[in-house]
Amino acid sequence: MTRTLPDHLHPALHPGGDPLGRPPVDRPHVVAWNLTRRCNLACAHCYISAGPWHASTPELSTRRCLGILEQILETNASPMLILTGGEPLLRSDLEQLARRATDEGATVVVGTNGTRLTDARIESLMEAGVQGVAVSVDSLRPTYHDRFRHGTGSLADTLAAVDRLVEHHLDFVVQTTLTRGNRDEFPEIVAWSAEKGAVSFNLYFLVATGRGEGMNGLEPAENEAVLARLAELEREYRGQMMIRSKCQPQLMRHVFEKDPSSPLRNYETRCPCGVHYCRITPEGKVTPCPYLPLEAGDLAERSFGEIWRESPVFRSLREGRLGGKCGACEYRKVCGGCRARAYAATGDLLGPDDSCTYEPSGDRPIVEPTAPLTYGKSAESALPWTADAEARLQRIPSFVRGVVSSRVEAFARQRGYGEVDLEVMAEVRRTMPVDFSRRLPFFLGRGGSG
């Protein structure tokens, strides 16, 4: 269920722009789309309360989805589109939607529990232009994973699917939801993910929404210990697999305090919900993110572009000032706390994220992002690009295009090349560290739709 923003929660808006100094937001760069509430599992923490008891009737029709897709692409011609659920593989039109999105310029990935990823389905997803999938593994112990996901044999099915993804050379991400039951095991899951060849490992910290509303996350001190360990693992597996925290941007404090060489500094990492990122529900409601069920608009009443540009919910997240210790924290430009957790705990979009143990001192300078580029910002071109190289550049998801172009040009200048062509781009990919090149392998010459 989505909620609307009460009048008393509208924060003061600032006509001068974002108080954190970010560039004006003109488009969403990542859109997560819950295509269905149907699922063959019934996971304990599910933010959308998906399960096998849901019917397909409230879902948007294929025709309606295609219309919304056109609205998204009018707002941004090259977004990252995450098609998920429930279990999106239960929709027979998943490949049709993915194919249309890919053909028109989007980068499409699929979020799934993995249990239904047969060889035939992996092949059909790849034929539809899907660039990768995210699969959920909460433990390598069936007694824990199957109980948490409410599906006997689900771990065995998911692990078998991972082996199939490897065989078919389809990139995959492993996602784990952190609880007290697996907090000591997650480093083992990281090691397993790297061994299997995952592009990335994402550790999700619980947000009390959906079925997760009745669950308790870790205490702040426990979160702090996990983040410190996650930062160590990021350094250990750097160049082999990306490692991220999700719904816990406090990882960035560890990075800025202890790891000046971290590639995380090359990306804008503060909570992106409503700023660069949003979610569409199975019924066509738009919210800031999957874990924040506050309705920004209804696609039955307004276009996607209108909601993105004009919604008071989105404007609040972009222009309002953070409250409590998040607003006073010197790390607010690189972290800012999880907005979904703040809302779940306090009802205030801009309130404090009390899952964090850090207490701002009030007498330290504000920590500034070190990355020269932010989502969607283009790098100034110092070299000419051939027409086919420029065309390939334009197929890169908008949120990393500036980072990619700057890296390619820096590489070309170091080697004395006078222009960027497809061969230079292919050479860049061959020499890039795995943690970058495997994140978007298609843009430099492998995969993609042409």
Side-chain angles (χ1 to χ4, degrees), residues 321-327 336-339 341-343 346-354:
R321 295 190 182 277
L322 298 179
K325 68 178 184 179
C326 285
C338 173
R339 297 300 94 215
R341 186 176 293 104
Y343 181 76
T346 70
D348 185 352
L349 276 175
L350 302 176
D353 177 359
D354 289 329

Side-chain angles (χ1 to χ4, degrees), residues 26 42 76 103 199 204 216 260 265 363 390 400 406 410 421:
D26 60 344
N76 183 353
D103 286 346
V199 173
Y204 279 79
N216 294 320
R265 290 170 173 250
D363 57 2
E390 178 64 30
V400 291
S406 65
D421 59 17

Side-chain angles (χ1 to χ4, degrees), residues 58-133:
E59 298 171 6
L60 299 173
S61 67
T62 303
R63 179 178 179 183
R64 186 77 182 99
C65 286
L66 291 172
I68 292 171
L69 176 60
E70 292 301 319
Q71 294 176 17
I72 295 171
L73 294 168
E74 287 172 1
T75 309
N76 183 353
S78 53
M80 176 75 79
L81 187 63
I82 304 169
L83 301 180
T84 185
E87 177 46 64
L89 297 181
L90 292 175
R91 282 199 61 140
S92 60
D93 59 357
L94 177 62
E95 282 84 351
Q96 181 181 352
L97 299 175
R99 180 77 270 167
R100 176 70 67 84
T102 299
D103 286 346
E104 297 197 19
T107 297
V108 178
V109 296
V110 170
T112 170
N113 61 44
T115 60
R116 302 176 69 88
L117 280 172
T118 62
D119 287 306
R121 201 65 194 266
I122 292 171
E123 290 170 359
S124 70
L125 290 173
M126 295 179 72
E127 290 170 2
V130 171
Q131 293 292 339
V133 300

Side-chain angles (χ1 to χ4, degrees), residues 5 14 16 94 250 287 315 438:
L5 186 68
H14 301 271
L94 177 62
Q250 290 85 353
T287 78
R315 290 194 62 202
R438 291 196 63 212

